[in-house]
Amino acid sequence: NYSNTTVKRRRRPSSGKRGGPGRTKDSSSPSGRSGTIMHSANMPGHRNNQTLRRRRRSCPHAPAVASLLLSSSLLMSVASAFRLVGSGVARRSSLAFARPNVGSRTARPVVGGFGPCRNGAARAPSFLHSSATEVEERAAESTATANEQYDALNKSSGLTGSYDPSLFESEIYSWWEKAGCFDPDAKQSADSARSAGREPYVLPMPPPNVTGRLHMGHAIFVALQDVLARFHRMRGRPVLWTPGTDHAGIATQLQVEKALQSEGKRRGTDVEIANASDEEKEKLVGRTEFLEKVWEYKEEQGGAITSQLRSLGASADWTRERFTMDPALSVGVTEAFNRLHEKGLIYRGTYMVNWSPGLMTAVSDLEVEYTDEEGKLYFFKYLVANDDGSPSEEFLPVATTRPETIFGDTAVCVNPNDERYTHLIGKRALVPMSDNGESGSMRSIPIIADEYVDMEFGTGALKITPGHDPNDYDIGKRFDLDILNVMNKDATMNAACGSRYEGLDRFDARTKLWGDMEEAGLVIKVEPHTQRVPRSQR
């Protein structure tokens, strides 16, 4: 409608002179005469009326052409204006749905330079025939004015700025909780629901760490479970979504120990505290005191995750929130394990775990990071035993990155296709230094064959330590080998290593054992070696 609202047809002046003054009438007059094209009063260019009148006689299509040119100019100007400030206009105009009365008139904001005419039609801006720079400047000024008008209207209607859910979503959720919207028994009991053919729908929340913070995994399970809970509520079923938090033992323990270190203290065992001096005892924290500090930390940091779950809109029944260390839940866990054991579904046995000597606890595979580090590859002799158990002149060359684990070896494995060692398969080998450095008999272990062994790596002969290597553990299970643990929980060597090495730190034991093997003539060589070392994230 741009041409209809910005271009008017007028009759020639009544004087009959071209371009002379006189009253004009609308083209819709009964005379039916088509008038010349003139611009609207608010538009520049009306001085060219004489030229347009003159051209009309020579070009019968002049009115249509001029109208088309005018419409194109208008569209280009509007496009330029919206290209500059279109995002601002769109942002504010999307909120401007309130039209309060201002005096006796209804406020009508101006957008992009188009204001209302008296008859309600859009009025063309006054810069259609200006330069490009002027068009952009006036478009920006006009848009700024429109934005101010929209903001004023929105503010008077209680709308301030852009959409901010934090201003009212928390109030809505709080009202939901207080009104018992998430309580499955709010409207009907379980018995009445069953009698009506609507079985209760119950789903437990996978408990997030009580001291944790919201991450993408939480957002995913909350969204999925919330959809299910709300869907079944809408079907009329009583729905119980049970929320809870996990004790996060390792993560919480780590944070508490860091706090103790900042105070110059550390956690100590009961034996360590009993043997410590009075000065050392002041720096040690026993089990009971440490547990008290863990509970204090839980109370201080435990509310953040549940608050964040509420902010997601989780429609869980928070009146039934539970913590995995609650006494009632602990009894339930014990009962569940007993029932599973009675049914033969679980058993207790020896298994490989990632043990953290610092935290004194097992660590999940997901919490272990492997790094490439420069180490050493130790080559030594595994003497082959005679039939009477005495050492022979023949030996198997074996390489390892951890000599201290030799005391846990229960077999030596070679590849069955390796011609160098096929004649030794089925015989027995003697564990170095297993006689505790004395002239007593050494422990013997079998020489076995498995294609797992890489003939090109090292010497092609592999010591099998099921208690201290996951790959060796798998081989040990296949061959039903004994599993020996040669270390204490604090990573010191235990009694299985003999009195000479018992109590030594694993790295100290490595140095001492290798020196003793050199004296016994069992060392071949030591080479630099890059190895993947597992380290706890904690």
Side-chain angles (χ1 to χ4, degrees), residues 4 14 67 124 267 339 449:
N4 293 335
S14 58
S67 178
R267 179 174 54 89
R339 293 186 183 183

Coordinates of all heavy atoms in Angstrom, one line a residue, residues 4 14 67 124 267 339 449:
N4 N -0.3 3.8 -2.5 CA -1.6 4.3 -2.2 C -1.6 5.4 -1.1 O -2.4 6.3 -1.1 CB -2.6 3.2 -1.9 CG -2.9 2.3 -3.0 OD1 -2.8 2.7 -4.2 ND2 -3.3 1.1 -2.7
S14 N -7.8 24.8 -11.0 CA -9.0 25.3 -11.6 C -8.8 26.4 -12.6 O -9.6 26.7 -13.5 CB -10.0 25.7 -10.6 OG -9.5 26.8 -9.8
S67 N 5.1 6.1 -9.9 CA 4.6 5.4 -8.7 C 5.5 4.2 -8.4 O 5.9 3.9 -7.3 CB 3.2 4.9 -8.9 OG 2.8 4.2 -7.8
A124 N 4.8 7.8 4.9 CA 6.2 7.6 4.4 C 7.1 8.5 5.1 O 6.8 9.6 5.5 CB 6.2 7.8 2.9
R267 N 45.6 -36.6 57.5 CA 44.9 -37.8 58.1 C 45.9 -38.9 58.4 O 46.9 -39.1 57.7 CB 43.9 -38.3 57.1 CG 43.1 -39.5 57.6 CD 42.0 -39.8 56.5 NE 42.6 -40.0 55.2 CZ 43.1 -41.1 54.7 NH1 43.1 -42.2 55.5 NH2 43.5 -41.2 53.5
R339 N 20.7 -60.3 50.3 CA 19.7 -61.1 49.5 C 20.4 -61.5 48.2 O 20.2 -62.6 47.7 CB 18.5 -60.2 49.2 CG 17.6 -59.9 50.4 CD 16.4 -59.2 50.0 NE 15.6 -58.8 51.2 CZ 14.4 -58.2 51.1 NH1 13.9 -57.9 49.9 NH2 13.7 -58.0 52.2
A449 N 52.8 -71.0 27.9 CA 52.8 -70.5 26.6 C 51.5 -69.8 26.3 O 50.4 -70.4 26.6 CB 53.1 -71.6 25.6

